[in-house]
Amino acid sequence: MRPLDSLTSIKVKLGVVILVAVAVTATVGVLGVRAGFSPLACGVAASLIALAMVPVLARGMTSPLREMAAASRAMARGEYGLRVTASSRDEVGELARAFNAMAADLAEMDRERRDLVANVSHELRTPIGALQAVLENLADGVDDADSETIQTMLVQVRRLGRLVAQLLDLSRLESGGLRIERRPFELRALLEQAADESRLHARQLEKAQLHVSVSVEPEELSTEGDPERMHQVLANLLENAVRHSPSDGEVTLLARPDGDRRGVEIVVADEGPGIPAEEAPRVFERFYRADAARAASDGGSGLGLSIARWIVELHEGRIRVEPGEPHGCRMVVSLPGAGR
Ligand SMILES: Nc1ncnc2c1ncn2[C@@H]1O[C@H](COP(=O)(O)OP(=O)(O)OP(=O)(O)O)[C@@H](O)[C@H]1O
Ligand SMILES: [Mg+2]
């Protein structure tokens, strides 16, 4: 039991403890003297009773501090599961609640760090394993170093290089090491360049029939931001759109003013299978793949959209997924700012 838990200030609690101790000492002293005991014996007895009462009353005032010290030592050892009792309403209780919230945040960060290490190792292992298998076959003389074998190795090395570049980008973005250099730029040129590159990508995926169209309304629409970084966003969105489109489908890239905030809206739409509504919020998470088996065989690691979201958010913009009409996927980027 913690008798003073309901008091909201540690000063008031201390005052109550002192008052009760003084009152008990005085009462015991007076009663003892009246009963004929010597004043010295009464004084000693009263002090002992008061001393015994203080720990009972003050119970719970300092124990959260001791619990916090123990929990901090556990955290230093990497254990984030301990929580302290936070039932009192005074400053120590407030500190205990803040401590518990911090411990929960640290536990979550620790879990994310472990996940990240596990995911990165897993993603690196796949291409390294494939490379190793080909090289072992070459070393054992099972395979010849013909152009097909070299091509297989090149694909895996490219995949490794891309993954490392993506991880580096993501770590710079998350640590705030990557600065956005804002300047006004025209959207038409940016969209045309990204579309040209995605047509090339479509040809590489043997989807030569795929049509990539660009529409900018009004023609001279411009915005403010870092054009290189925005190009990276569009490249990631278009890469997904081309990859998921049917080979004779249409990928639409359009930019228009965003009425609400005098900003602009950029949409990348495709006619592929789309993203189910329940998956939509998760596709922006690191390493998340809606269809893991297929994405892995296609070479995706689930980092493209998280990089895109970081860049858009550094521009104080938003990115969201919408279902396409009648099917497909629409990625909508809204950028605030100067517009037009
Ligand atoms: N246009 C799209 N149509 C259907 N599904 C999509 C589309 N864009 C993204 N997705 C789904 O969202 C997941 C996450 O996309 P993201 O771009 O982050 O990763 P990825 O394309 O798998 O790999 P990476 O971009 O790192 O090469 C994809 O694996 C895919 O399942
Ligand atoms: Mg992608």
Side-chain angles (χ1 to χ4, degrees):
M1 204 189 71
R2 296 178 168 192
L4 301 183
D5 258 6
S6 56
L7 298 179
T8 55
S9 159
I10 200 131
K11 287 183 202 153
V12 175
K13 280 186 180 178
L14 284 173
V16 170
V17 171
I18 292 168
L19 261 179
V20 172
V22 169
V24 167
T25 316
T27 315
V28 171
V30 170
L31 290 178
V33 171
R34 272 196 202 157
F37 293 104
S38 82
L40 183 65
C42 290
V44 172
S47 308
L48 287 177
I49 293 174
L51 267 180
M53 280 192 67
V54 167
V56 177
L57 280 176
R59 201 168 174 161
M61 275 169 68
T62 52
S63 61
L65 296 174
R66 275 192 299 278
E67 287 177 35
M68 274 183 249
S72 308
R73 281 192 290 275
M75 277 181 190
R77 292 194 301 272
E79 296 163 26
Y80 297 97
L82 284 186
R83 297 289 180 271
V84 299
T85 319
S87 57
S88 92
R89 292 169 56 200
D90 65 1
E91 294 85 346
V92 176
E94 220 167 279
L95 182 65
R97 277 185 287 281
F99 183 92
N100 283 343
M102 181 193 73
D105 286 350
L106 282 174
E108 175 62 16
M109 274 166 63
D110 188 55
R111 193 190 58 74
E112 280 182 10
R113 185 185 59 79
R114 282 169 206 260
D115 280 0
L116 180 65
V117 173
N119 278 322
V120 170
S121 330
H122 178 79
E123 291 300 325
L124 289 172
R125 210 174 52 190
T126 315
I128 288 175
L131 262 179
Q132 189 178 342
V134 178
L135 284 169
E136 275 170 4
N137 283 350
L138 282 179
D140 296 345
V142 179
D143 276 342
D144 294 329
D146 54 17
S147 68
E148 199 185 330
T149 317
I150 292 175
Q151 194 60 37
T152 313
M153 292 199 289
L154 194 59
V155 167
Q156 299 303 338
V157 171
R158 284 209 186 107
R159 190 172 165 185
L160 270 178
R162 182 168 178 276
L163 180 63
V164 171
Q166 280 183 322
L167 285 170
L168 205 62
D169 270 349
L170 206 56
S171 98
R172 282 207 213 112
L173 284 164
E174 290 186 353
S175 67
L178 211 140
R179 297 225 161 267
I180 292 296
E181 290 181 18
R182 283 174 179 277
R183 59 185 163 88
F185 65 92
E186 287 213 349
L187 284 154
R188 161 69 64 182
L190 182 78
L191 266 59
E192 288 289 1
Q193 192 197 350
D196 281 346
E197 287 163 11
S198 72
R199 288 182 194 114
L200 209 68
H201 180 217
R203 277 208 288 282
Q204 282 168 357
L205 294 181
E206 290 167 8
K207 291 184 178 178
Q209 302 299 312
L210 190 89
H211 189 245
V212 183
S213 67
V214 176
S215 148
V216 180
E217 211 43 68
E219 194 64 27
E220 70 287 357
L221 185 68
S222 65
T223 187
E224 213 180 74
D226 190 324
E228 277 77 38
R229 293 291 153 201
M230 283 315 296
H231 176 265
Q232 201 177 352
V233 172
L234 293 182
N236 281 341
L237 297 183
L238 282 166
E239 193 190 283
N240 288 346
V242 168
R243 194 191 288 169
H244 293 96
S245 272
S247 45
D248 58 348
E250 165 136 16
V251 170
T252 320
L253 183 53
L254 74 91
R256 59 185 171 212
D258 184 1
D260 288 358
R261 299 182 292 169
R262 285 193 19 95
V264 295
E265 192 170 79
I266 305 174
V267 180
V268 178
D270 65 62
E271 297 178 335
I275 298 176
E278 65 275 14
E279 308 250 10
R282 299 207 59 197
V283 291
F284 297 101
E285 289 173 14
R286 284 187 306 216
F287 295 108
Y288 186 80
R289 290 179 294 221
D291 181 353
R294 202 179 129 210
S297 66
D298 286 351
S301 0
L303 292 176
L305 287 181
S306 37
I307 292 177
R309 183 175 65 176
W310 266 103
I311 297 176
V312 170
E313 288 182 352
L314 282 177
H315 282 82
E316 283 142 36
R318 291 279 166 271
I319 183 168
R320 64 179 191 276
V321 191
E322 286 178 359
E325 282 295 328
H327 57 90
C329 172
R330 276 165 62 88
M331 287 283 174
V332 184
V333 175
S334 329
L335 295 175
R340 261 101 328 167

